[in-house]
Every structure is written in C-alpha cells, then in structure tokens.
Amino acid sequence: MEKYDPKKIEQPLYQAWESAGYFAPSGQGEPFSIAIPPPNVTGTLHMGHAFQHSLVDAIIRRKRMQGNNTLWQMGTDHAGISTQIIVAEQLAKKGLKPSDIGREAFIETAFEWKETSGGQISQQLRRMGASLHWETERFTLDEGLSMAVIEVFTRLFDEGLIYRGKRLVNWDPKLATSISDLEVISEEEQGSLWHIRYPLADDSAETLVVATTRPETMLGDAAVAVHPDDDRYQHLIGRSLMLPLSNRVIPIIADAYVDPEFGTGCVKITPAHDFNDYEVGQRHDLPLISIMNPDGTIADNAPSPYVGLDRFEARKKIVHDLNQADLIASINDHRLMVPRGEKTGVVIEPLLSDQWFVRVEALAKPAIEAVEDGSIKFIPKQAENIYFAWMRELKDWCISRQQWWGHRIPAWYDPEGNIYVGRSLEEVRTQFSIPEAVALRQDDDVLDTWFSSALWTFSTLGWPEKTKALETFHTTNLMVTGHDIISFWVSRMIMMTLKFMDEVPFKEVYIHGLVTDAEGQKMSKSKGNGLDPMDIIDGISADALIAKRTQNLLQERQRAKIEKATRKEFPNGIEPFGTDALRFTFCAIATSARSMRFDLKRVEGYRNFCNKLWNAANFVAMSTNQPIHHEAPIASVADHWIRLQFGHTTHIVNQAMDNYRFDLAAKAIYEFVWDEFCDWYLELSKPVLTADATNTAMKAGTQACLVEILEGILRLAHPFIPFITETLWLALPQSERQGPSLMLAAYPEHGPVDLDAATEVADIRWIKNIVGALRNIRGEQDIPPNKAIPILFTQGAKSDRERQSKFADLITALVKTSDMSWLEDETNAPPSAIQLVGTLKILVPLAGLIDTQAEIERLDKAINKIQQDIIRVEQKLANEAFVNNAPADIVEKEKAKIQSYQSAKIDLENQKARIAAI
RNA sequence: AGGAACGUAGCUCAGUUGGUUAGAGCAUCGCCUCGACAAGGCGAGGGUCGUCGGUUCGAAUCCGACCGUUCCUACCA
C-alpha cells in the first residue's frame, strides 16, 4: 500500500461521485433538504465558507447514508454592489467608466465576468468535497428567480406593503447608491470637535456657540436646538440666528433631544444630513435643506464658494473661512464613531433621496411568532436574542439601490410622474390601459440583493410554479449560517417565506461561530491575515503566501508589516494537508463558542489522524489478505470489547450530530480510532493472529472483527473525512461492503451501550491497568522496549489470578515479558520495582534492570500522591454534615476509597524500605 | 450607554442535570527505528478552573459583586 497522500486520492474521487450522480436526491426516503447560503458568484471560497460547508456536508452526507431523500440545493447570488465594483474596476483597467458604455453593455460585461470568473467558487466547493446537487444550481438573476422577484415585488406593492418615498438613507458617495444600515460599519476614529460661533440675527454682537464634528453640514442647518430646561438659554428660545457663510436666518428651538452636559449644550440641527436631526426637524416642522450631491460634492443650493467642492475640501474651506471671520471659538481633538461603507471604506452620508421601501411591520409580526412558538428553532438558542432584538426594532427596509447590476424595479413612470407597477411593461399597459402613445420609463434602480435572497428557499425550488421539488423539499430542514447574517438574511427569509409560502423557510437554524486567525483577529484582506482554504489543502510556499496577502492592499504601508508577520507565523509556508484534514479540523473546532481561533497545528494533527487511519487500514489489509476459513469462528475477548466500544462510539457520534455538536462527534471518532482501535485492539489482535498455538477458529474470528470494525469506522467517519474513507472502503474486499460507494452505504446506528456492565470491558480494563503499570516501570526505569522483563504477582483477588492466566499471552505481547509467576510468600520477594493494581501487587525484580535510586524516587512520588488522596477523603468523611446529608452511595464510595488507599500506601512504604535497605 | 458572551495546563479548547483523583490536542522532557504507522510508539511533567463573597454536606458547574477580554446594538452634535 502506498503512503497516505491526499492529493492523489481526493479529486478523482469527487469527479467519480459527481458523474455517478450520487449528489442528487435519491427519490426515496424521508426528504431532508438544506439550501446553501448563496455565495457571491464572483467571489472565492474563504475560510468561513469552507468551515460552514464542512459542517453542512457532514450533515447532509450522514442524512444521505441514513436513507433520507437528501437535497443540498446549490446556488449563487449576484452580489449587486460587490460585482458592480469588480466590473467597474475591470472597465477602469481599459480606461472606461460604466457611463461610457451604458447600462445594457455594462450588464452584458457583468454577465461575461460571471461566466468567466464566476465558476471559481463552484470549483472550490468541489475541492472541499461538498456533496451539493449541481444539476439544479440556481443564480439569483436567472430567469426563474427573477420572475419570483418580480412576482413578490408586484404582490407586495399591490397590497401596499411596498412604497416609494423621499427619505434619509445611508448613502455611499463613492458608489452613489443607498446602502443598508447593516453595511455601515461604525468605528471610533480620531477627529475634531469644532466650536463655532453663530451670531444672533438681531444682535450680531451676541453669539451662541455650537459644537460639531462635521462643519460642512452647517450649510444645511435649519435651526439650533437647546434643551427646554437649560437655564443658560431660556432667553434665547424662539429668537433667531444668522447662519454664518450661508447668511440664512434660522430659529433657536427647544428640544429634549439635546444633552445640556455635552459641549455647549447647543446643537445645530441639519435635518437633511443627520438621522437624529431629521427626527428633530419633523417635530419642529423644519425645512429639509439638502446641500450634498450623490457623489459627495456640495450642491448648487449652497453658497457659491463651496458649490462643487468635495465634502472634505468643503470642510477645510469652511473652517478656514470661519476662522477668517473669527467665528471659530475652539477646536478640540475628539474621538468619534465614523460610519464607513463596508465595501468601499468611504465615510457614509445620511442623504435625502427617493427610495423604495418594504413596510415591514405586518411581515415582522408572524416572523417573530414563528420563532416564539418554536416553528423555527435557533441553535444555539442564544442566537434567538439577536433575531428578536433585530425584529423588534425593525425599520422599513430600503430595497432600492442606485445600481445597474441586479433586479430592475418593475415600476414605470408616465410623463406626469405617475407610478405603475406590474410584471412587465405589457402588463402595465394592459392593466392600467395606457396607450402606446404615452411614453413609459422604467425605474432606473435595482433591488437590494437581499430582496432576492430572501426568497431563496422557495425560489430555488421553482416558485411561483408549483413544482414537485417545492412540494417535496420545502419547508427545508435546516439553515446553517453565521450570526452576522441573522438580520441580513435569516429574518428576511422568514418574513418573505411566511408571506408567500404560508410556511416557514426552515425548521432549524444552526448559527455557527466566526473563524478567526490564531490571535483571535477576524481574517480580512486589509489586515493580510487571511488564509485561503485551498492553500491549506494544497500547500503554499512562504513567498507565494506573502505575495497573495500583500496584493491589492488598500494601504501600501501595511506591506512590510504583513510580510514580517507572515514570515514569523509561516516561515516555511504551509504544508499540503488535504481536504479531509481541513474538514475534520473544522468539525473539531465547531464548539458552541462564538468564535474559533484557527490554528494550523490542529490541521496538522488531524492530517496525522488521517495518516493513522490509513496505516491502520493497511495493517488490517495485511492481516486479512490470507483469510483463514472456519465454520464456527470464535470471538476473542478483545473482539467482544471492541464491538462494544464501537457501538458506544456510534451512539455518541449520532447523538452529537443530532445536537449539532460536531466537535464531540469528531472527538469521539478520533478517540475511538486512535486510542482504542489502533492503540489497543490492533495490538491485542497481533498475538492472536501470529501465535501458532492459537486455534484457527479464533484467528478467523479476529480477522472478521478487524475488517468489520474498520468498515464500520469508515462508514462512521465518512461524513467528516469523505475522501480517505471512501478510498479505504473501496479497497476492502467486495464481500465486506455493500453497494458501489461508501456515500450510499448505511450510516452506523446503535443504541446506548452500558460499558460498565460488560465483562469484556472489565477484562480489557484490567489488561490495560496491568500493562499500564508495567509500562510505567519500564518508562521510569528507562528499560528499553526490546528487553524482556520478568514479572511476579502477589496478593490480589481470585479474579486477578483467573485473568492473569487467561490473558498471559496478551500481557506478554504488550509488555514483552520474559517470565510471569505468582509469589505465594511475599517475604521471599527479591528486591523489585512495585506497582499496585487494586489489591494486586506487580513486582519487577531489580536484578540487572533497576536503578534503585530511580525506584525510590518513583515510590516517593506514588506515596506522596496517595497521601494527598487519603487526606482529602479523610477530611470529607470527618465532616459529619457530609456523612449525614450526602446520598448513601456517595458516602460508601468514599469509605471504600480510603480503605484501598491506606493499604496501598502501606504496601508502597514497605516496598520503599526494602529497596532502601539494599 | 444598553445587551450578551467568555476567562479551565505554556498555547487552542472539551467538561451534559452540582458528586470518584478536572480531560484532550499541540508544545515540553525522557526512552525507543519492536514487521501497520517517526505524519510513529511508550512513559513523564504541567492546572489553588480570573478574583472575592454567597447558596450547599459538597461548586469549574448555581447566585452576586469586581477585574479582564471580546462581540452586538445605539449613539452626544
């Protein structure tokens, strides 16, 4: 058998699976479906995707093996803003602006880009082993999904749940579009607080000082507000100010919104450029003075010196001009939260514009109830808080974007500006009886990408058509996503699906944590701390990794820092670990915690685990390639034991998976394979298989058990590490497996196993204890493993004698003994190293083997430890409250413990005295 | 400011309803190429479970306060 090399086995297998059609729903069994959170079609697979899909694939593969009719629905979204940015960048390389080529050509270019580069993420998902159903892959801009979008928009509009209005929205001046609240990232930055003197209108000698962090907005001031109870300003309320630079007269108003403690207690009110001021403006009926253009330059209605200036240029000039006029009272350094666009990094402006909104109140109510009444379950339950918090304060959803790439809003305007909404221009003309002579112009805006994503679970299954797929697979069973997506997407899917399907989109939502780097930092391009899952699978040199991390940096000065950090963390680049190791790592770190530090050392450990499994399979193959036939094979004690352990492990894994505890499932498999199967069972099988004296019935039994357990392990582990398990499984003799692929084999099932009740388990535990005791002596005494040691047993129970005689061969094989015998009269014992297992004493005679000093130290350590135990238990038992109140069985246990501790201590002390006397 | 979570070995993390001596991986130290596996085997060391109180016969686990870290939401111009 060749060495384990993931590169050689992984990709060919995936192609074989896909072309055999194994990812498609079987058409039999209970339906089980999961819709993929649509990745951005132009994107590449990042660690979050890789993590998420490792978990989902484990779920879906297990369900498939359990006989469900499984569908993991593939699809991508058009990622309106991101894609528009990318395509614009592509054009810029050719020296073109989007406006140069026009809307039609731009969309065409975007589709071309999608065709050429859009397949990347699909290929990467295949590299991950994701068993997605590719044949029904969907894209949000496909004809079918677009129809669903138009249908939903039209119906909502007809019901009055969509409206158009002039509102203050978050505006990205670089993109010149509205963006979602959720796409605005506010972070604390260093800025200034400018204190500006506003003279009173009727007495320019008297001034009032306002403080602002955005002086340029004063061009749009509509008032200055003070707190109604602020004694300092009572006399000013109702009077007017002469707004500097603009020379407009604005009122001084009283509003409780003002915090008298902050700054001067006077706030300039700019209703068209600040969300709070907008509210104040509404209360006081102030005019909305919008002084900024969509591109962030100052608008025509501002004083002429500033018109056309960029907002930050305008700020400088305004401060300069105020200074000239001696109207700056002071400028202080100030830390403030600056809102920036997630995609562009530019400062976001609240801007007044015409936008389309979804009225969410009526939609939100049933959506909240669906979670409250348990129709939808969040896992972990804590995540419900995020959902409820968001849903309770839900504002109307701005769904229009001033972009070209996306679903164009199905609304038309006649020359008078009347709005008509319908499924198409033709429908609009017919429905509203508009003659061809009247020109109709379609709305230029497109819909927020999340509007189409909100329909995802049912639009991908064919809605509004009543398809078989929709009937079979909706409601989907599960949605797996990150907590940052709950408000963006999960909440909106719930609202829209309840509205149009009259059922929930999914029964459960598993919210996973965030994968961070080893320092706990969020992985990001700008920080240069990201890892590409493909590099972990295939490996990458340090130079190539640095090149990758430092390309397209926003800030050039970061380059050296990133290079240094990368060289320190990955001096030799990254080894190729393979997909299985990466997937297993993701499952193993998927605890219920909110964030997970990703450490390559873990991947290495699980790659080693794969290697271990590979080698164990190799051993099984070698041990069974010459089958011994026997009519009535006998199972050894080890065979019985490992079957019980496997059943137990199967139960644990299934239970863990039912509870979405991927970490516990991975741990159970890891421990069973390595600590029980490899470390003990394979070793225990060796004496049976190699000893001449062993009867062939037992050899046949052991051979059968080896293959049986290995095959079971492969099935149990397949959802986590699909490639290596399938490879090894296909290498098993045909007679040992059922069906053409491990993917389609039955998943192991087992009820709870009471290990403590089984004699075989007790036997193996006894053997482990004896072997452990002897290995401890070997280790502490540095006795080389190839040197056989003589052993004397003394005292002990009757069962010890029985077991010793029954399992002598196994003990010999595991610790290499030269001789084993029982000592009836302890006084004749030669100087020996001693170990206690229960009441059984195990002696290893010193002659020629033992370093007496080392043995005394070892005994001291043991005596010391047992003394601690005795003290602890004695104190417990001396406490009357404990003896009186604790359950009887607990007290009994403690009493039994002290007995054995004390006799053990005496034995050890005697032994020490004997050794010391030599 | 409000809300939430977390703090367990040098590092990364498990620890189910309170009850044997708090576990694992990595790292560390010692021995070993013995016919599956050096991507390995065997052995060992390492924790007053953030701090202080409380409840309890008994607390890593339940409660409170504090310290520290992080996230979310909303922001004071």
Side-chain angles (χ1 to χ4, degrees):
Chain A
M1 205 165 179
E2 288 181 50
K3 251 187 102 148
Y4 172 56
D5 181 2
K7 239 172 216 169
K8 281 191 188 143
I9 62 169
E10 294 182 350
Q11 276 322 286
L13 255 187
Y14 192 90
Q15 281 151 24
W17 286 332
E18 189 176 348
S19 55
Y22 294 157
F23 303 149
S26 64
Q28 286 165 352
E30 194 186 329
F32 183 93
S33 59
I34 299 178
I36 193 171
N40 171 356
V41 69
T42 59
T44 53
L45 194 84
H46 57 61
M47 290 295 278
H49 291 125
F51 171 58
Q52 182 175 82
H53 299 131
S54 295
L55 304 186
V56 174
D57 196 47
I59 292 168
I60 209 90
R61 282 180 184 269
R62 171 164 168 268
K63 286 287 173 188
R64 190 182 292 115
M65 291 173 76
Q66 285 178 328
N68 289 82
N69 185 19
T70 50
L71 170 66
W72 185 10
Q73 175 63 45
M74 175 58 195
T76 50
D77 75 27
H78 61 281
I81 289 174
S82 303
T83 307
Q84 178 122 359
I85 291 173
I86 290 169
V87 174
E89 277 171 6
Q90 299 287 314
L91 286 175
K93 281 182 190 160
K94 297 184 209 159
L96 292 168
K97 288 197 300 277
S99 55
D100 295 336
I101 65 171
R103 185 170 191 138
E104 295 300 315
F106 183 88
I107 292 171
E108 219 168 278
T109 312
F111 267 110
E112 276 166 29
W113 163 255
K114 183 223 159 199
E115 290 311 318
T116 52
S117 307
Q120 203 178 347
I121 199 148
S122 303
Q123 286 315 311
Q124 291 173 320
L125 283 166
R126 287 176 166 91
R127 294 292 322 271
M128 287 304 298
S131 59
L132 283 150
H133 186 32
W134 296 101
E135 290 150 50
T136 57
E137 181 171 354
R138 295 284 183 268
F139 176 53
T140 40
L141 287 178
D142 280 350
E143 201 180 328
L145 271 66
S146 299
M147 266 179 55
V149 167
I150 289 171
E151 186 67 28
V152 164
F153 186 96
T154 312
R155 286 202 210 168
L156 288 175
F157 181 83
D158 289 346
E159 286 187 45
L161 292 175
I162 282 181
Y163 64 91
R164 187 166 186 266
K166 206 179 203 50
R167 297 290 137 84
L168 208 52
V169 294
N170 286 302
W171 189 268
D172 186 317
K174 187 172 177 187
L175 298 170
T177 179
S178 64
I179 61 170
S180 160
D181 300 356
L182 296 164
E183 288 159 342
V184 180
I185 310 298
S186 288
E187 268 175 18
E188 197 172 76
E189 292 181 19
Q190 187 60 46
S192 302
L193 192 59
W194 285 271
H195 290 80
I196 306 169
R197 278 193 278 270
Y198 284 18
L200 268 86
D202 50 12
D203 178 7
S204 62
E206 195 177 346
T207 62
L208 184 154
V209 177
V210 300
T212 181
T213 55
R214 297 190 297 156
E216 67 280 9
T217 61
M218 70 182 287
L219 301 178
D221 280 359
V224 166
V226 297
H227 194 275
D229 303 331
D230 195 329
D231 293 339
R232 294 170 294 179
Y233 304 116
Q234 288 300 319
H235 63 292
L236 293 174
I237 296 170
R239 292 176 69 184
S240 298
L241 294 162
M242 178 58 71
L243 181 63
L245 308 178
S246 302
N247 295 320
R248 276 191 284 115
V249 174
I250 57 171
I252 299 171
I253 59 171
D255 195 290
Y257 153 72
V258 180
D259 175 5
E261 305 296 319
F262 189 89
T264 57
C266 302
V267 186
K268 59 194 258 337
I269 301 296
T270 323
H273 292 282
D274 183 283
F275 291 103
N276 288 313
D277 290 6
Y278 183 86
E279 301 290 326
V280 176
Q282 296 285 304
R283 285 196 287 272
H284 297 269
D285 205 19
L286 297 173
L288 289 158
I289 305 162
S290 185
I291 50 92
M292 201 177 287
N293 294 316
D295 64 355
T297 57
I298 302 302
D300 292 346
N301 58 344
S304 57
Y306 310 106
V307 171
L309 287 182
D310 176 78
R311 52 193 167 144
F312 296 112
E313 289 300 314
R315 176 181 295 181
K316 272 188 215 161
K317 185 164 169 55
I318 284 166
V319 170
H320 175 264
D321 292 351
L322 289 171
N323 235 332
Q324 292 290 306
D326 195 25
L327 291 172
I328 300 279
S330 63
I331 305 173
N332 303 335
D333 286 345
H334 184 65
R335 306 277 306 168
L336 75 163
M337 297 296 277
V338 177
R340 288 181 182 274
E342 193 182 23
K343 298 280 172 9
T344 57
V346 302
V347 176
I348 297 304
E349 294 288 339
L351 197 81
L352 202 59
S353 55
D354 284 311
Q355 302 288 346
W356 291 86
F357 294 88
V358 173
R359 219 183 285 283
V360 292
E361 203 184 335
L363 298 171
K365 199 167 165 280
I368 291 170
E369 284 165 4
V371 175
E372 280 172 346
D373 70 19
S375 306
I376 297 173
K377 265 175 60 189
F378 276 78
I379 299 145
K381 197 159 168 49
Q382 309 273 22
E384 281 178 6
N385 295 338
I386 303 175
Y387 177 76
F388 287 133
W390 170 251
M391 293 298 283
R392 272 199 300 268
E393 300 197 18
L394 206 46
K395 284 178 270 182
D396 282 357
W397 174 16
C398 175
I399 50 171
S400 45
R401 297 289 179 269
Q402 288 64 50
Q403 297 247 302
W404 285 346
W405 179 243
H407 298 98
R408 194 161 174 182
I409 290 177
W412 284 264
Y413 303 89
D414 66 16
E416 275 83 52
N418 296 310
I419 302 174
Y420 305 98
V421 169
R423 288 164 187 79
S424 65
L425 180 58
E426 292 68 36
E427 184 184 293
V428 165
R429 282 198 187 279
T430 317
Q431 195 181 333
F432 300 99
S433 313
I434 303 167
E436 291 289 336
V438 177
L440 288 179
R441 182 180 55 81
Q442 187 171 4
D443 195 295
D444 282 325
D445 291 353
V446 297
L447 289 164
D448 181 8
T449 307
W450 297 104
F451 188 89
S452 49
S453 307
L455 321 177
W456 190 246
T457 61
F458 58 94
S459 66
T460 52
L461 294 172
W463 190 93
E465 306 276 315
K466 285 191 174 147
T467 62
K468 184 94 175 75
L470 193 61
E471 190 191 318
T472 310
F473 294 113
H474 206 275
T475 296
T476 67
N477 294 74
L478 177 66
M479 176 53 59
V480 177
T481 191
H483 62 87
D484 50 334
I485 303 299
I486 292 176
S487 3
F488 263 124
W489 191 44
V490 172
S491 64
R492 288 162 181 172
M493 275 194 288
I494 296 173
M495 288 192 285
M496 290 296 209
T497 312
L498 282 167
K499 173 75 184 165
F500 289 96
M501 291 291 294
D502 204 23
E503 60 187 31
V504 293
F506 28 70
K507 293 171 194 149
E508 295 184 309
V509 188
Y510 173 79
I511 301 296
H512 59 70
L514 193 76
V515 181
T516 67
D517 72 4
E519 263 84 54
Q521 296 287 309
K522 203 168 164 176
M523 289 189 187
S524 83
K525 239 182 238 170
S526 56
K527 280 188 206 147
N529 64 346
L531 284 171
D532 181 342
M534 296 304 123
D535 293 340
I536 298 169
I537 294 172
D538 296 330
I540 188 170
S541 70
D543 288 340
L545 182 59
I546 288 160
K548 206 168 183 172
R549 284 182 160 189
T550 52
Q551 75 185 7
N552 300 327
L553 279 183
L554 287 175
Q555 293 164 308
E556 193 55 28
R557 61 195 159 83
Q558 293 239 290
R559 183 178 296 274
K561 203 176 135 198
I562 290 170
E563 168 154 9
K564 199 177 157 199
T566 304
R567 283 220 190 273
K568 189 171 172 223
E569 199 179 351
F570 308 104
N572 303 312
I574 298 172
E575 269 183 80
F577 292 115
T579 300
D580 283 328
L582 180 61
R583 287 176 56 126
F584 203 78
T585 306
F586 282 132
C587 290
I589 65 173
T591 65
S592 38
R594 269 194 339 273
S595 81
M596 291 148 292
R597 295 179 187 221
F598 188 85
D599 186 351
L600 271 182
K601 283 287 185 189
R602 293 287 293 265
V603 188
E604 186 181 346
Y606 295 121
R607 188 273 316 265
N608 295 352
F609 171 71
C610 291
N611 186 54
K612 186 79 180 174
L613 177 60
W614 184 269
N615 287 318
N618 184 31
F619 173 80
V620 172
M622 278 172 40
S623 309
T624 56
N625 60 7
Q626 289 174 307
I628 291 158
H629 297 287
H630 196 278
E631 298 163 354
I634 295 171
S636 71
V637 62
D639 296 342
H640 283 300
W641 163 77
I642 199 69
R643 286 190 173 106
L644 287 163
Q645 290 286 349
F646 181 70
H648 176 67
T649 305
T650 298
H651 178 66
I652 299 287
V653 170
N654 278 311
Q655 211 175 35
M657 289 301 283
D658 286 340
N659 292 311
Y660 303 104
R661 285 300 303 266
F662 302 90
D663 60 323
L664 298 181
K667 189 176 170 220
I669 290 170
Y670 183 98
E671 286 176 352
F672 175 75
V673 170
W674 203 312
D675 301 341
E676 306 296 350
F677 186 67
C678 291
D679 284 353
W680 290 98
Y681 182 66
L682 295 188
E683 295 306 321
L684 288 165
S685 75
K686 287 175 186 174
V688 176
L689 295 169
T690 55
D692 294 334
T694 317
N695 64 50
T696 53
M698 195 177 269
K699 283 190 181 180
T702 292
Q703 280 191 335
C705 187
L706 278 166
V707 180
E708 174 195 322
I709 299 297
L710 175 63
E711 198 271 343
I713 287 169
L714 297 177
R715 279 186 288 130
L716 193 66
H718 179 258
F720 308 93
I721 42 176
F723 294 113
I724 183 176
T725 49
E726 175 80 298
T727 305
L728 295 174
W729 192 79
L730 290 172
L732 292 174
Q734 184 71 59
S735 56
E736 306 295 339
R737 52 193 165 92
Q738 301 248 308
S741 166
L742 180 52
M743 270 191 72
L744 308 178
Y747 200 70
E749 300 289 343
H750 207 287
V753 177
D754 185 359
L755 292 173
D756 294 334
T759 56
E760 290 86 355
V761 173
D763 284 344
I764 298 294
R765 280 182 189 161
W766 183 87
I767 292 169
K768 284 185 175 182
N769 285 338
I770 302 295
V771 169
L774 290 165
R775 282 176 174 171
N776 177 266
I777 291 175
R778 236 187 223 289
E780 296 283 306
Q781 293 286 348
D782 285 350
I783 303 169
N786 57 357
K787 186 165 180 72
I789 53 173
I791 299 167
L792 293 169
F793 294 102
T794 178
Q795 297 191 3
K798 194 172 155 227
S799 62
D800 289 323
R801 290 196 178 239
E802 287 166 3
R803 281 170 167 154
Q804 189 276 326
S805 88
K806 206 167 158 190
F807 305 130
D809 290 350
L810 298 178
I811 294 168
T812 297
L814 291 166
V815 288
K816 196 164 173 91
T817 58
S818 61
D819 180 64
M820 266 188 280
S821 54
W822 284 81
L823 194 64
E824 300 307 334
D825 182 1
E826 232 185 301
T827 52
N828 295 336
S832 307
I834 187 175
Q835 273 280 358
L836 302 169
V837 174
T839 56
L840 176 66
K841 283 192 203 173
I842 310 171
L843 308 178
V844 176
L846 291 167
L849 285 176
I850 304 260
D851 173 348
T852 54
Q853 195 50 44
E855 180 61 10
I856 287 171
E857 281 169 24
R858 196 181 66 81
L859 287 167
D860 272 336
K861 217 156 62 181
I863 291 166
N864 197 21
K865 197 179 165 201
I866 211 153
Q867 182 59 34
Q868 302 294 322
D869 291 336
I870 289 170
I871 289 167
R872 188 177 37 248
V873 178
E874 270 178 352
Q875 279 172 348
K876 231 178 188 182
L877 288 169
N879 183 352
E880 273 183 45
F882 171 74
V883 179
N884 294 335
N885 293 317
D889 57 320
I890 300 279
V891 178
E892 278 313 306
K893 265 189 201 169
E894 296 296 318
K895 281 184 180 163
K897 258 193 305 197
I898 202 146
Q899 292 257 312
S900 68
Y901 287 168
Q902 266 159 354
S903 76
K905 190 187 160 203
I906 290 163
D907 282 335
L908 290 169
E909 277 170 344
N910 289 343
Q911 183 62 15
K912 185 186 161 191
R914 223 173 291 168
I915 300 281
I918 295 172

